[in-house]
Amino acid sequence: MPYAMDGLPERVTIHEVGPRDGLQNEKTVVATEVKAEFVERLADAGLTRIETTSFVHPKWVPQLADADDLLTRLERRPGIRYPVLVPNERGLERALALGVTEIAIFGSATESFARRNLNRSVETQFDMFAPVVERALANGLMVRAYLSMCFGDPWEGPVPVDQVVRAGRRLLDLGCAELSLGDTIGVGTPGHVAALIDAFGSPDRLAVHFHDTYGQALANTLTALRHGVSVVDASAGGIGGCPYAESATGNLATEDLVWMLDGLGVETGVDLRSLVSTSLWLAGLLGRPSPSRVVQALAKEA
Ligand code: HMG
Ligand code: MG
């Protein structure tokens, strides 16, 4: 029996990032057929937005070097969205050739991370993204934007809210439908989340993307929901991180999010038991237990 709380959306859309943010950070390269099965199982569990892979330089992220092969292999189901990360025109070419219908560009709010992750400055990252978004929109694609280091940066420390809002608005102004605010290293706390969302003026096109390094992801998510956000990024089993920011650990676990939302009576369309068994299956293949508390708690029942 759910116990509702005021000020929450009736329904939350989960943007599942396990196959991309999760697997990009694994030390071992996961076989393409395992990735395909992971995506299939996530769809079976009721996830409708599954970020599948990245069309980045294969040397930069060898874990996802099989992006073209994976997309070719994957049977894409109607009603399910399979966004992929695309940083530049070369990445877009590859994605278009495979019939991708949704991409995400990914910018940085800080100079240090822009250099490390994109080999660009904050300013020149927009020059790289602008033609990508323009061409993607002209081809009828949906475009999401990420902004990383929205709360703190491992090299620069706390990141001022106005610096984040400035960079985020520029990504939205390129024509992106949605902006996902990334706490890449998981240092944000609820008051900071509220201040950042409010500083944007409207939560309508915002999503949140919390890594759980300091155990704040769920509290931060609840705060974001109470401030009008209704799209939340999460990764099955809580896997994830960024190879270009070592202090980044796993994402908010989808199971932890669904447990909380089920308890609140907020709809997600996700079947928790089915998701838990998927994460247990993957943890077995990766050779280590899932960091998700809910996966651990439900493991015996699955
Ligand atoms: P660069 O070295 O500046 O690239 O890297 P370039 O434009 O100078 O091109 C150099 C060569 O790479 C060229 O080949 C290009 O064709 C090739 P050459 O002509 O010399 O033979 N190339 C490519 N090949 C295949 N696919 C491509 C591609 N692009 C260029 N897309 C670049 C710039 C952006 C490519 C590089 O920095 C890169 O790939 N970065 C990706 C890093 C990444 O994926 N990080 C993890 C994702 S972000 C994240 O996890 C954060 C997030 O979760 C949110 C959060 O938590 O905050 C989203
Ligand atoms: Mg991330």
Side-chain angles (χ1 to χ4, degrees):
M1 173 70 186
Y3 287 89
M5 246 172 116
D6 287 342
L8 294 177
E10 272 177 26
R11 190 182 172 86
V12 161
T13 300
I14 299 178
H15 185 101
E16 170 62 47
V17 296
R20 194 279 303 170
D21 207 338
L23 297 185
Q24 77 178 9
N25 208 40
E26 284 304 314
K27 288 204 172 56
T28 50
V29 177
V30 173
T32 312
E33 55 269 24
V34 171
K35 291 175 178 168
E37 185 172 348
F38 185 29
V39 173
E40 296 286 352
R41 282 175 170 249
L42 293 169
D44 290 341
L47 289 150
T48 53
R49 279 205 208 184
I50 307 169
E51 199 166 274
T52 305
T53 186
S54 296
F55 287 88
V56 298
H57 196 296
K59 283 204 189 113
W60 281 65
V61 184
Q63 292 90 337
L64 305 182
D66 62 349
D68 307 69
D69 196 16
L70 176 60
L71 261 286
T72 308
R73 216 176 261 250
L74 203 64
E75 217 167 284
R76 282 168 264 179
R77 307 182 192 177
I80 299 203
R81 291 161 59 176
Y82 300 91
V84 297
L85 289 200
V86 164
N88 56 13
E89 290 187 273
R90 175 78 191 99
L92 182 62
E93 293 281 346
R94 291 171 57 202
L96 286 173
L98 288 155
V100 161
T101 57
E102 184 166 344
I103 63 162
I105 56 168
F106 49 103
S108 171
T110 65
E111 286 299 338
S112 306
F113 189 63
R115 295 266 174 216
R116 284 174 172 83
N117 199 47
L118 294 166
N119 198 22
R120 299 287 181 280
S121 64
V122 165
E123 193 51 41
T124 58
Q125 69 181 341
F126 298 112
D127 302 334
M128 178 167 76
F129 296 142
V132 174
V133 178
E134 194 181 313
R135 193 163 156 215
L137 293 177
N139 279 274
L141 271 60
M142 186 100 79
V143 186
R144 162 183 247 230
Y146 280 101
L147 186 62
S148 286
M149 303 300 173
C150 288
F151 297 89
D153 171 286
W155 305 278
E156 298 180 22
V159 182
V161 164
D162 60 337
Q163 180 177 328
V164 176
V165 173
R166 253 196 326 273
R169 288 227 169 95
R170 286 190 64 183
L171 292 171
L172 284 169
D173 289 346
L174 292 176
C176 299
E178 188 171 280
L179 175 69
S180 179
L181 301 172
D183 187 3
T184 321
I185 56 168
V187 291
T189 44
H192 196 166
V193 171
L196 180 59
I197 291 168
D198 292 348
F200 271 94
S202 160
D204 287 352
R205 288 157 75 194
L206 299 181
V208 286
H209 179 103
F210 296 119
H211 286 263
D212 204 25
T213 322
Y214 290 81
Q216 305 298 298
L218 210 45
N220 287 342
T221 301
L222 186 61
T223 304
L225 296 178
R226 298 194 85 174
H227 283 257
V229 170
S230 63
V231 179
V232 178
D233 300 2
S235 88
I239 55 174
C242 179
Y244 291 97
E246 273 183 20
S247 34
T249 58
N251 288 78
L252 167 64
T254 314
E255 290 87 349
D256 297 13
L257 174 64
V258 172
W259 177 271
M260 179 179 78
L261 295 177
D262 281 353
L264 286 161
V266 175
E267 270 177 57
T268 62
V270 175
D271 181 278
L272 186 56
R273 278 3 191 229
S274 158
L275 192 56
V276 166
S277 68
T278 294
S279 291
L280 290 170
W281 162 80
L282 188 67
L285 290 173
L286 296 176
R288 56 184 167 72
S290 156
S292 159
R293 303 289 288 271
V294 171
V295 171
Q296 290 168 24
L298 296 180
K300 285 194 197 76
E301 290 174 32

